[in-house]
Amino acid sequence: ERAAELGEHLLKGLRGIEAPVIREVRGLGLMAGVELKTHAAPYLSALAERGVLALTAGSNVIRFLPPLVISRQDLDTVLEQVRAVLED
């Protein structure tokens, strides 16, 4: 239940980011991926500098796998940082 609820919040937030670099947002539960139109590496570095750890899934997908115990507030912080990095 928690993964479904928080995952829905995460996906809704990611889909709300209006950045031309985003091709698609997909996910299941708390697993989420943001497919980009370019390589993900520079964005992953920028996220890491802002305290958000994410991985790639292929060369152009930013993958998020937060722990089940993550708070909604922490997810909101992640979404703010992702928005800042991708909309720049």
Side-chain angles (χ1 to χ4, degrees):
E1 279 182 42
R2 182 169 174 78
E5 177 187 323
L6 291 177
E8 184 178 324
H9 179 71
L10 176 60
L11 289 173
K12 182 179 178 183
L14 290 172
R15 288 182 176 128
I17 297 172
E18 296 189 21
V21 73
I22 296 175
R23 177 172 288 145
E24 180 184 16
V25 174
R26 56 186 176 263
L28 178 66
L30 271 173
M31 296 183 297
V34 178
E35 184 178 355
L36 305 178
K37 296 176 183 174
T38 185
H39 291 284
Y43 298 100
L44 289 171
S45 296
L47 286 170
E49 289 175 8
R50 293 170 173 262
V52 176
L53 298 179
L55 300 170
T56 60
S59 64
N60 66 331
V61 176
I62 299 173
R63 179 175 58 169
F64 298 96
L65 280 147
L68 186 56
V69 296
I70 194 166
S71 69
R72 185 178 282 262
Q73 181 180 359
D74 286 342
L75 275 180
D76 289 339
T77 300
V78 168
L79 289 168
E80 288 173 21
Q81 298 306 318
V82 172
R83 176 175 275 109
V85 166
L86 293 180
E87 288 183 348
D88 275 347

